[in-house]
Amino acid sequence: MRKGLTRRHFLSTVSAAAAGMGTATSCRKSTEKNYPWRGPRGLLAETEVLIAGGGPAGIGAALGAAMLGARVFIIEDCGFFGGVGAWGCGMQMNQMRPGGNPRSNIHELLIEKLLAMGSQAGRFATGAAFDGPNALLCNVEYLKVAILYALEEAGCTYLVHTQAIDALTEQNRVNGIVVATKQGPMEIRARVVVDCTGDGDVSCYAGAETMTETGNLSPMTLCFNTSNVTQEDILAGQQEYSRNLQHAKADFPLIHQDVPDLSRVGNSHFYYTNHAGTRDMGQFNAADPFQFSQAECLSRRQVVQMVEALRKYGGGGLNKIEIVGAGPRIGVRESRRVKGGYILTEEDAMNGARFEDAIAWRSGNLDIGFVRVNRMKIHDVPYRALVPESIDGLLVAGRCISATHIGASAGKSMGNCIATGHAAGVAAALSVKEGLMPRELPVQKIQDALRDGGVDLDFSGRDQEWMERAINS
Ligand SMILES: Cc1cc2nc3c(=O)[nH]c(=O)nc-3n(C[C@H](O)[C@H](O)[C@H](O)COP(=O)(O)OP(=O)(O)OC[C@H]3O[C@@H](n4cnc5c(N)ncnc54)[C@H](O)[C@@H]3O)c2cc1C
């Protein structure tokens, strides 16, 4: 008899198996023993640098830290990496090569892995519609796999379907996180944690001060793909739709007052639509479970209404358009931002601010999705904007760095989020190597390591002349 199996258990297993119920019985037994969340939490892993969230910032952070030799663990709530970029259904990754210039080894590694997968994977866009050469157009299914190749090549350990639900703290220091898994909540311990959740989740759980805009949050959008139409159908259909807009709006109340844009996904024959989303439906905060749920569910109805409105009011061109699919989740442009030693502002973006502790720069537009767009100057991101004011062992990157509501909107292009991620990953790896807290690191060391990683930290302050050239050409 197997060790540990009593005669009574053995007999009950045998008789249940004989009745064709063996699996059910053993399953019930093992479940009774293995509810770790009813006892002390299990330790899932220990690492040097732990990245929570695998969107553009998280990927930048993981690659940045791994390339400096740190042991890196990255966890992601979804079943794939890429964040909003991957669930956006084919949105262009802006500011990947501003003006056609490579901006770091990490951006280039991701580009290389994607383009190596062939013509269906993606291509660089040029021209006025894309603000000149900078935007990588991708098919998201290839993007998700390209990211895995990049993480594996850099030696990162990763888990998907793993959500950060708490922070492990000792006084003001973060020592890891608690994650939700199919075995219940488990701990991952780390020397430094980088919060790339977009919503500042880990920082909030650790007690860091966060900022959330009230009454003025950027809209969320559920992007979608359509097919079964040609470019000519779209042009003709959009004009017809525009003429019928008032009737369409009366029929489909969740649609917008403008004509939806349908742009080709990479080299494919289907189209991607980004739109004003929840802009006209009220205020929704992604950090509030009820509001987040409501935004998602209203938006699913909105997508169907938008496509049905195109079919009914888009004339001969669009009456056969079909939905290929909507994103697996609604895209959040803005929620919590984590207060650091400096808060980036609208003026910083418009004036091309320079900082002595620059660790990244942001290019492109100040863009509050479908509310306001301004051409800004390239400006620095100071290291202080990545370091939470009062919590140690923690860095922040991506759309939840320390910035005002409008300051945040100036940096949300994916290329910029990868850049702040890269910087946070480098700082985290150096912090482990030097045995210092992130806030104690000499910034010069981070800057030197970033320059070694292909980052030009003197790029800021300038106008983005390639955008003007694209528009005038
Ligand atoms: C509708 C929309 C359209 C946009 N259009 C463009 C565009 O055309 N071009 C462009 O360059 N940018 C665009 N952006 C902006 C850009 O996509 C985002 O600013 C960028 O993705 C932010 O990167 P991030 O890594 O900070 O956050 P996110 O992309 O939000 O990634 C955060 C990741 O963390 C994960 N996560 C969250 N919470 C947890 C948790 N508790 N535990 C574990 N994982 C967690 C999420 O699943 C996600 O993968 C758009 C954004 C939206 C919403």
Side-chain angles (χ1 to χ4, degrees), residues 397-453:
R399 66 178 166 83
C400 54
I401 63 171
S402 182
T404 61
H405 158 63
I406 299 181
S409 77
K412 64 184 182 29
S413 286
M414 286 183 247
N416 296 328
C417 290
I418 294 172
T420 55
H422 182 187
V426 161
L430 287 173
S431 169
V432 170
K433 197 163 145 197
E434 305 283 330
L436 294 171
M437 285 296 151
R439 79 178 69 256
E440 296 166 348
L441 278 175
V443 176
Q444 177 84 43
K445 284 207 171 192
I446 308 172
Q447 293 170 330
D448 289 346
L450 286 165
R451 287 195 179 97
D452 289 346

Side-chain angles (χ1 to χ4, degrees), residues 29-101:
K29 288 288 174 210
S30 77
T31 320
E32 277 171 4
K33 279 187 202 147
N34 290 331
Y35 274 127
W37 58 95
R38 297 232 171 110
R41 277 191 308 250
L43 180 67
L44 189 64
E46 268 178 301
T47 189
E48 289 177 337
V49 175
L50 174 59
I51 318 290
I59 299 154
L63 297 176
M67 283 182 179
L68 277 198
R71 263 191 306 127
V72 175
F73 202 115
I74 174 167
I75 60 122
E76 164 56 44
D77 186 24
C78 292
F80 51 83
F81 291 99
V84 175
W87 65 67
C89 294
M91 67 176 63
Q92 69 251 24
M93 297 182 75
N94 287 333
Q95 309 310 317
M96 289 299 280
R97 269 189 196 157
N101 305 305

Side-chain angles (χ1 to χ4, degrees), residues 61 143 335:
L143 175 67
S335 59

Side-chain angles (χ1 to χ4, degrees), residues 56-57 59-60 63 91-115 123-125 130-138 143 147 361 363-364 413-419 454 459 466:
I59 299 154
L63 297 176
M91 67 176 63
Q92 69 251 24
M93 297 182 75
N94 287 333
Q95 309 310 317
M96 289 299 280
R97 269 189 196 157
N101 305 305
R103 62 183 294 178
S104 85
N105 294 354
I106 276 149
H107 291 81
E108 289 301 301
L109 176 65
L110 288 168
I111 293 166
E112 177 204 313
K113 294 293 173 208
L114 182 78
L115 299 186
R123 67 183 159 94
F124 263 99
F130 300 101
D131 284 333
N134 84 74
L136 187 60
L137 306 187
C138 357
L143 175 67
I147 295 167
W361 45 264
S363 54
S413 286
M414 286 183 247
N416 296 328
C417 290
I418 294 172
F459 204 63
W466 61 83

Side-chain angles (χ1 to χ4, degrees), residues 40-47 168 177 183 185-190:
R41 277 191 308 250
L43 180 67
L44 189 64
E46 268 178 301
T47 189
L168 298 170
I177 60 175
Q183 294 178 2
M186 300 196 80
E187 295 182 359
I188 307 180
R189 299 198 157 264

